[in-house]
């Protein structure tokens, strides 16, 4: 069972471990996949970005080409400048694309695009120059025409005179024109006074014209070659453009392909992630299922174990119960014969025995005493084990209790020469509340052990009051100078059936239960038992329990005096199914002048009881079919049983019921079997003395409750006015009554019925005078009883005596 206890948590732990591992692995895989997926998505975005940029680049390229064409076709600077600006944008765009790519070949391609662009710019520039040259030829022509027009004027010339826009001239033409203008200006007279002949001027103009013609021809020739060059350049430009487009288109295609690859990769990663998650979910589900089955099986098993434990607990409880019942039964069965053995031994001891016989009876007595103690211990032990003993709360005088207990143990060991000292803390004079019977049991055991294991020296009982954690504790230490107990044995002697040495039982007797019971009882009282001992030096057993002081009067343990003879002659009914015990009890009672009627069952007793004038009943409790409780109940239920509150003593072998149960059931006293004749007589004396001597408390109670019913001195006072006279009359009345009572008793014993009737009548006069309502009816019965009712006389006499006593006590108190 223990194994399974430790296996269940391990399995649970393993299952959690496996699931955690699975979660970590899956988490790691999924996170990897998500990373790849995110990377793929990022790559795709970059590729898309690249495609967009290439697209833009191509657009720019087309725009640049369009500007290039305009730049070539027009002589204006603006298209050319636009073309250059576009090319700058293209360069910026290329640079931004370059930042996005990390493939070296793509970088190289972009560099080649850049180179081609530079080449294109150069081409365009050259082409433009060629076109501009074309303008120079026109200019020369214009110059010739102008020269023709200025032939008449012949003034000084400037470049402006020949060309509208001298800035746009190529260097060569400009140089030639300037040379010509210079020549002209040298030969043209500075003022009109300088007369140059017309012929000279003409020749100059002609020469100039020729020269210009030559220049024009030269320019035409040059134009031809330029046209060729232009074609070449255009071709170059076309090729460059084509190359550029091809490169960029290739680029675009590459990017598109890349984007597609990345997209496919992303798709693949997504699929893979889904696969991983699905597989993980399946594995997880399988793991959960497997472990759930394992754990469920274990929990089912543990439930089963629990059920088995509960069953075995139940079984143990039953065993304990049956053990208790067995012990109770066995002890009951032992008690009856033990009572017989003890009783007859006592009776035997009173007979005239010789020394040998007396020795034998002593041995029988001590052996049966030992068995009695063992039976009692076993019973107490089993009751304590079953938690059936409850602590009582009664006010008692601790000092008296301990002294009486110690002295009674001392009496048993009187042959031992051991001094007994009792040292009581002066603070403990007051009554305390607790369980005096259990305190007595513990102290009796400790003092008994001290005597048992001490051969010489002393036994000291120290009672001290201690303060501990807001409560007061009583410490009863029993200190002896005996054999002591070895250190290693000091703990085990508190365990049941253990003794300090293996030969202890042989040497000293005992069952090894005493200390176990004492310790359990001490715990029951909220206290404990401690031991200090030195081998060979002696032991100190300390019984510590919480003290609760009381303001109530202590309950006196009634100690009946069995040696005072009973004042009356009594009749008893004894019921017991054990014939030997029945006979024994009969013998004990008759030896003490008590008349007996014996019955083997309650039923038989009830059949005859109306014919018996009985004073008390002794009944066994465990009677077959009609037990003691039922007997008492039936007896009280019907008048025919002649029951007038006569006391009943319960005799029982059962120790599972406490005193209260018997008192509540209407018993006056109870006696555990086995008992000695002495114990039985003590109980009888106790109940009869209670009858004979009405306790003070009872008188007090009666006084307050029934004072008016007991007497009324009004009519008596009307004759005697002074108190002294009244007191005297009462005194005389009391004396006469005592005499009448003793005469009455004598007549009842002698069965002198007529005298009884006469006395009954005589006594009524005075009691009627004082209106004694409890006494007069009894006297009335004594006056008028029938002969058949004579058996009730004794009982009525006792009632009369009791009530007269109560009445006189009340009058005395009243007159004080
Ligand atoms: P028992 O019936 O044998 O006396 P107890 O439980 O009362 O059983 O005591 C158990 C054992 O403890 C005794 O057998 C004895 O060995 C030892 N013991 C008890 N009291 C004393 C004592 N005062 N001195 C020495 N030994 C003692």
């Amino acid at each position: 069972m223990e194994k399974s206890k430790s296996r269940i948590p391990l399995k649970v732990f393993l299952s959690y471990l496996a699931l955690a591992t699975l979660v970590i692995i899956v988490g790691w895989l999924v996170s990897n996949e998500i990373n790849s997926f995110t990377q793929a998505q990022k790559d795709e975005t970059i590729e898309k970005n690249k495609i967009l940029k290439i697209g833009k680049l191509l657009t720019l390229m087309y725009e640049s080409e369009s500007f290039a064409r305009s730049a070539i076709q027009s002589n204006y600077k603006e298209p050319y400048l636009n073309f250059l600006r576009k090319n700058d944008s293209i360069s910026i765009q290329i640079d931004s694309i370059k930042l996005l790519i990390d493939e070296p070949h793509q970088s190289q391609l972009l560099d080649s695009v850049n180179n081609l662009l530079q080449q294109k710019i150069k081409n365009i520039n050259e082409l433009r120059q060629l076109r501009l040259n074309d303008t120079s030829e026109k200019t020369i022509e214009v110059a010739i025409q102008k020269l023709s027009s200025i032939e008449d004027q012949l003034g000084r010339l400037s470049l402006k005179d020949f060309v509208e826009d001298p800035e746009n001239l190529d260097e060569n033409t400009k140089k030639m024109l300037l040379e010509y203008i210079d020549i002209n200006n040298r030969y043209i007279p500075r003022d009109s006074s300088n007369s140059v002949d017309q012929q000279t001027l003409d020749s100059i103009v002609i020469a100039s014209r020729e020269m210009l013609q030559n220049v024009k021809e030269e320019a035409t020739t040059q134009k031809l070659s330029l046209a060729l060059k232009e074609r070449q350049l255009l071709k170059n430009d076309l090729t460059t453009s084509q190359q550029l487009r091809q490169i960029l288109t290739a680029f675009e295609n590459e990017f598109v392909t890349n984007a597609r690859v990345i997209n496919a990769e992303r798709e693949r990663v997504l699929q893979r992630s889904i696969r991983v998650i699905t597989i993980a979910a399946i594995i997880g589900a399988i793991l959960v299922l497997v472990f759930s089955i394992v754990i469920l099986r274990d929990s089912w098993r543990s439930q089963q174990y629990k059920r088995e434990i509960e069953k075995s607990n139940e079984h143990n409880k039953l065993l304990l119960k049956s053990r208790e019942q067995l012990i109770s039964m066995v002890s009951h069965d032992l008690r009856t014969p033990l009572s017989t053995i003890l009783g007859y031994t006592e009776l035997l001891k009173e007979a005239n025995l010789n020394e040998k016989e007396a020795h034998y009876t002593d041995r029988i007595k001590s052996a049966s005493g030992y068995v009695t103690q063992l039976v009692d211990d076993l019973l107490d032990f089993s009751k304590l084990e079953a938690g059936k003993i409850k602590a009582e709360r009664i006010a008692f005088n601790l000092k008296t209790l301990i002294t009486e207990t110690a002295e009674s143990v001392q009496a048993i060991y009187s042959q031992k020469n051991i001094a007994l000292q009792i040292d009581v803390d002066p603070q403990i004079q007051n009554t305390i509340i607790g369980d005096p019977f259990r305190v007595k049991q513990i102290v009796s055991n400790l003092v008994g052990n001290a005597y048992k294991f001490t051969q010489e020296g002393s036994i000291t009982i120290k009672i001290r009051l201690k303060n501990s954690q807001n409560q007061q504790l009583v410490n009863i230490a029993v200190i002896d100078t005996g054999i002591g107990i070895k250190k290693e044995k000091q703990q085990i002697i508190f365990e049941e059936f253990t003794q300090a040495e293996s030969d202890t039982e042989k040497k000293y007797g005992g069952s090894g239960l005493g200390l176990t019971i004492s310790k359990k009882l001490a715990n029951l009282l909220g206290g404990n038992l401690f031991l200090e001992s030195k081998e060979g030096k002696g032991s100190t057993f300390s019984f510590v329990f919480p003290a609760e002081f009381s303001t109530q009067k202590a309950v006196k343990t009634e100690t009946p005096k069995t040696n005072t003879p009973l004042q009356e002659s009594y009749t008893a009914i004894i019921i017991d199914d054990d014939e030997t015990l029945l006979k024994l009890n009969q013998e004990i009672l008759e030896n003490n002048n008590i008349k007996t009627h014996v019955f083997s069952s309650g039923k038989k007793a009830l059949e005859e009881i109306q014919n018996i004038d009985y004073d008390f009943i002794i009944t066994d409790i465990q009677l077959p079919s009609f037990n003691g409780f039922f007997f008492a109940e039936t007896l009280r239920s019907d008048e025919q049983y002649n029951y007038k509150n006569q006391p009943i003593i319960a005799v029982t072998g059962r120790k599972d019921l406490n005193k209260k149960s018997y008192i509540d059931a209407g018993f006056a006293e109870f006696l555990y079997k086995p008992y000695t004749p002495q114990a039985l007589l003590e109980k009888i004396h106790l109940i009869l003395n209670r009858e004979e001597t009405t306790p003070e408390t009872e008188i007090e109670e009666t006084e307050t409750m029934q004072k008016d019913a007991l007497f009324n001195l009004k009519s008596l006072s009307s004759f005697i006015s002074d108190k002294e006279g009244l007191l005297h009359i009462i005194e005389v009345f009391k004396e006469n009554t005592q005499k009448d009572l003793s005469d009455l008793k004598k007549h009842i014993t002698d069965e002198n019925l007529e005298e009884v009737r006469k006395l009954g009548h005589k006594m009524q006069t005075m009691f009627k005078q004082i209106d004694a309502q409890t006494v007069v009816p009894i006297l009335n019965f004594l006056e008028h009883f029938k002969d058949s009712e004579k058996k009730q006389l004794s009982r009525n006499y006792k009632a009369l005596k009791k009530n007269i006593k109560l009445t006189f006590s009340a009058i005395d108190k009243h007159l004080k």
Side-chain angles (χ1 to χ4, degrees), residues 73-285:
Q73 278 157 13
S74 97
N75 276 338
Y76 296 110
K77 241 184 165 180
E78 198 53 37
Y80 178 63
L81 286 176
N82 282 341
F83 165 71
L84 286 178
R85 269 189 228 112
K86 265 301 158 211
N87 277 339
D88 284 345
S89 304
I90 289 170
S91 288
I92 291 165
Q93 191 72 7
I94 285 172
D95 286 343
S96 77
I97 293 171
K98 253 183 163 180
L99 288 176
L100 294 177
I101 56 171
D102 21 54
E103 293 283 329
H105 83 275
Q106 288 178 341
S107 215
Q108 279 167 8
L109 276 176
L110 282 174
D111 285 342
S112 65
V113 170
N114 246 341
N115 288 340
L116 282 170
L117 270 177
Q118 290 312 315
Q119 206 176 317
K120 188 172 167 81
I121 292 168
K122 208 174 140 210
N123 259 351
I124 296 298
N125 206 14
E126 277 181 32
L127 271 168
R128 204 166 162 271
Q129 283 308 322
L130 282 179
R131 292 280 158 91
L132 281 177
N133 280 352
D134 199 22
T135 325
S136 315
E137 190 195 0
K138 268 186 200 158
T139 313
I140 292 168
E141 188 137 352
V142 171
I144 294 169
Q145 279 168 10
K146 273 229 169 157
L147 205 60
S148 309
S149 65
I150 58 163
E151 268 176 65
D152 301 320
Q153 295 169 2
L154 284 176
R156 288 198 66 84
L157 299 170
S158 72
L159 206 53
K160 262 275 191 213
D161 291 326
F162 296 94
V163 189
E164 272 175 19
D165 186 10
E167 295 305 309
N168 281 340
L169 282 179
D170 68 299
E171 281 309 305
N172 228 357
T173 317
K174 200 172 178 180
K175 201 178 148 196
M176 279 194 329
L177 276 175
L178 285 171
E179 245 174 64
Y180 165 72
I181 287 164
D182 189 47
I183 295 166
N184 270 336
N185 283 343
R186 252 185 278 140
Y187 290 103
I188 294 169
R190 298 283 170 227
D191 57 55
S192 51
S193 57
N194 287 341
S195 55
V196 184
D197 70 78
Q198 195 61 43
Q199 220 170 341
T200 315
L201 281 176
D202 287 346
S203 59
I204 289 168
V205 173
I206 289 163
S208 301
R209 207 188 297 144
E210 272 171 10
M211 209 171 88
L212 283 174
Q213 202 66 47
N214 285 343
V215 171
K216 192 186 164 186
E217 273 164 22
E218 226 175 276
T220 311
T221 330
Q222 209 181 358
K223 195 182 168 184
L224 273 173
S225 73
L226 279 176
L228 272 173
K229 198 172 179 185
E230 186 184 325
R231 214 177 304 138
Q232 188 57 46
L233 281 175
L234 278 172
K235 206 176 158 189
N236 278 354
D237 185 52
L238 210 65
T239 325
T240 314
S241 295
Q242 261 172 2
Q243 274 178 354
L244 271 174
R245 268 198 297 278
Q246 269 169 8
I247 289 170
L248 291 178
T249 314
F251 245 122
E252 194 178 37
N253 288 340
E254 197 174 331
F255 290 157
V256 169
T257 318
N258 271 354
R260 255 193 225 125
V261 169
I262 287 164
N263 201 13
E265 172 68 14
R266 199 184 59 163
E267 205 47 43
R268 208 172 48 78
V269 167
L270 196 68
Q271 289 305 325
R272 209 169 52 206
S273 299
I274 290 167
R275 248 196 331 270
V276 167
I277 291 168
T278 314
I279 291 168
I282 292 167
I283 295 173

Side-chain angles (χ1 to χ4, degrees), residues 300-536:
W300 178 78
R301 267 192 202 157
S302 85
Q303 289 291 328
Q304 215 180 11
Y305 291 147
K306 219 173 127 192
R307 273 199 296 276
E308 275 169 21
I309 289 169
E310 273 166 12
K311 240 166 115 183
S312 86
N313 270 350
E314 211 47 48
H315 184 63
N316 282 348
K317 267 191 203 158
L318 273 175
L319 276 183
L320 265 177
K321 208 170 172 183
S322 39
R323 189 182 77 170
E324 203 194 317
Q325 277 171 351
L326 182 76
I327 290 176
S328 171
M329 222 170 72
V330 168
S331 43
H332 170 249
D333 288 351
L334 279 173
R335 269 163 205 287
T336 311
L338 270 172
S339 288
T340 316
I341 296 167
L342 275 172
Y344 278 112
T345 315
E346 286 289 320
L347 289 179
L348 211 59
K349 273 178 80 184
E350 279 163 28
N352 249 353
L353 300 177
N354 63 34
E355 210 179 300
K356 211 175 177 185
E357 287 165 342
H359 176 68
Y360 289 160
T361 37
D362 278 347
R363 296 299 297 268
I364 296 171
K365 198 184 162 196
S366 86
S368 45
Y370 171 73
V371 179
T372 307
Q373 184 61 45
L374 181 65
V375 166
D376 282 350
D377 282 354
L378 272 174
L379 214 58
D380 271 347
F381 177 70
S382 87
K383 273 161 74 179
L384 277 165
E385 285 273 276
K388 286 217 169 144
I389 292 183
K390 298 266 174 306
E392 306 260 359
R393 278 174 56 80
I394 299 169
F396 67 100
N397 188 303
L398 186 67
K399 189 182 172 185
T400 317
L401 184 93
I402 303 293
T403 311
E404 279 177 9
T405 310
E407 281 170 357
S408 66
V409 179
Q410 187 190 32
I412 301 168
Y413 292 93
S414 54
Q415 78 282 6
K416 280 193 175 180
N417 188 21
I418 299 166
L420 174 69
Q421 289 157 16
I422 302 173
D423 172 7
V424 186
D425 194 327
Q427 285 179 285
I428 315 180
Q429 296 299 337
N430 286 344
T431 308
I432 66 165
I433 293 180
D435 191 332
F437 309 105
R438 299 302 171 191
V439 171
K440 187 175 174 174
Q441 195 178 347
I442 297 167
V443 173
S444 170
N445 179 44
L446 297 181
V447 179
N449 276 351
Y451 269 105
K452 201 155 98 176
F453 298 106
T454 306
Q455 296 315 322
E456 55 184 21
S458 64
I459 292 168
T460 310
I461 303 172
K462 253 190 200 163
I463 311 176
R464 292 284 177 271
L465 202 61
K466 295 198 303 185
N467 280 322
S468 161
Q469 293 171 352
N470 303 332
Q471 68 169 345
Q472 285 193 305
L473 297 174
V474 173
N475 184 355
I476 304 173
V478 180
I479 308 154
D480 67 49
T481 55
I483 60 168
I485 304 161
K486 283 181 189 162
K487 192 132 197 85
E488 63 270 23
K489 301 283 177 179
Q490 289 182 9
Q491 205 49 45
I492 61 156
I493 57 157
F494 289 102
E495 287 166 17
E496 57 263 33
F497 306 108
T498 45
Q499 297 183 312
E501 302 299 333
S502 51
D503 60 350
T504 306
E505 195 193 338
K506 247 192 219 161
K507 273 197 200 163
Y508 303 96
S511 59
L513 270 177
L515 285 178
T516 317
I517 293 170
S518 295
K519 195 167 174 102
K520 281 186 191 285
L521 284 175
N523 294 155
L524 187 79
L525 301 181
N528 213 341
L529 209 59
F530 304 100
L531 164 67
E532 268 177 63
S533 185
K534 252 194 185 153
E535 204 187 355

